[in-house]
Amino acid sequence: MKTPSDGATKIELEQWPRQQHFQFYKNFTDPYFNICVELEAESLFNYSRLNNVSFFNSYLYLAMLAANDIEPFCLRLIEGDVWLFDKINANVVQLKEDETFRFSYLEHATDFNRFCTSSKQAFELAKSQPFFSEQFYSTGLACNCLHISVLPWLSFTSFSHASNHSEYSGIPKLVFGKYNKRTGIMPLSIEVHHALMDGIHVAQYVARLKHYFDNASKYL
């Protein structure tokens, strides 16, 4: 994994309040922890339906906005150093008609309409290519992103990922589950690197995401 040349700032560990926590957790066999929450998504779902916009695009866009607001979600571990990225994008799992998946690379945007246009193009491009494509090697291995999956068929209360811990990059992994129209609840799994953040930072992310969901008309 390459050391960033631009768009990121190296954290000086000696000045970082988390230095000892970082040193403690970074070499754990499994340094990630996972929290599953029940998102109150009824407000966002109703807004999306009434305004004829994609609910899927809506929560993807807001999930990326929230990640860029919470500094620990922008930290990555690269070759033993901690880097703070200026912008966090997303690699999103996209299902094909043959029930295999591809990774769609979505750029961070601050305009929802532009995001919808670019995400549609990204989805179509990903599905038109083989799994191991030029795009996979150029963007699928990027670390300045979130990894986002969606299981719209299932509700869940716990989650675990297939993992390769040879590279402890610390990319947060999000999984959105089935939206329940009766309760207005959608499950969300959040997996993060404990050397880079703690539970309080996940709570801050969830609170920020809920703010965006509850005030969708201001941001979409």
Side-chain angles (χ1 to χ4, degrees):
M1 189 171 294
K2 291 184 178 180
T3 300
S5 57
D6 55 22
T9 303
K10 184 178 177 180
I11 299 295
E12 298 300 330
L13 296 180
E14 294 78 10
Q15 310 301 322
W16 194 31
R18 288 191 59 80
Q19 178 192 10
Q20 292 185 344
H21 302 74
F22 171 75
Q23 298 294 345
F24 179 71
Y25 283 113
K26 70 172 184 174
N27 293 321
F28 272 33
T29 303
D30 183 2
Y32 291 85
F33 70 93
N34 183 290
I35 295 177
C36 288
V37 299
E38 293 185 331
L39 280 178
E40 297 174 2
E42 185 175 18
S43 177
L44 178 62
F45 180 82
N46 289 339
Y47 176 87
S48 300
R49 182 181 58 182
L50 292 173
N51 289 275
N52 196 31
V53 296
S54 165
F55 179 51
F56 175 59
N57 277 347
S58 297
Y59 65 73
L60 284 182
Y61 176 74
L62 297 178
M64 292 171 67
L65 284 188
N68 279 275
D69 288 345
I70 306 299
E71 183 174 294
F73 275 74
C74 303
L75 295 174
R76 298 294 181 270
L77 177 58
I78 303 173
E79 297 182 357
D81 295 317
V82 179
W83 291 81
L84 174 64
F85 280 87
D86 298 339
K87 181 179 71 172
I88 297 299
N89 303 312
N91 268 309
V92 180
V93 170
Q94 187 70 27
L95 191 67
K96 289 192 63 175
E97 291 75 9
D98 63 1
E99 297 186 355
T100 63
F101 68 86
R102 302 293 186 269
F103 293 114
S104 299
Y105 189 73
L106 306 183
E107 293 274 356
H108 172 61
T110 55
D111 179 85
F112 181 60
N113 291 328
R114 186 165 66 248
F115 173 82
C116 289
T117 299
S118 62
S119 65
K120 181 180 179 181
Q121 295 171 347
F123 295 155
E124 292 175 351
L125 175 63
K127 291 198 292 185
S128 71
Q129 298 182 339
F131 182 75
F132 291 119
S133 64
E134 181 179 342
Q135 181 190 14
F136 175 86
Y137 289 109
S138 63
T139 61
L141 302 179
C143 65
N144 61 327
C145 64
L146 303 172
H147 286 171
I148 303 179
S149 298
V150 178
L151 291 176
W153 320 277
L154 295 173
S155 183
F156 52 78
T157 56
S158 65
F159 203 93
S160 64
H161 291 268
S163 300
N164 179 2
H165 292 321
S166 61
E167 292 280 0
Y168 292 126
S169 61
I171 297 174
K173 297 178 175 63
L174 309 181
V175 183
F176 290 91
K178 180 179 181 179
Y179 174 71
N180 188 319
K181 294 182 180 180
R182 180 178 59 83
T183 64
I185 296 296
M186 180 168 60
L188 171 62
S189 164
I190 305 173
E191 183 171 295
V192 296
H193 199 299
H194 214 341
L196 302 179
M197 71 179 85
D198 301 316
I200 187 173
H201 304 114
V202 176
Q204 290 168 355
Y205 175 80
V206 173
R208 189 62 178 162
L209 186 57
K210 184 178 186 303
H211 167 78
Y212 282 138
F213 276 28
D214 291 345
N215 297 276
S217 63
K218 295 181 181 179
Y219 303 104
L220 301 181

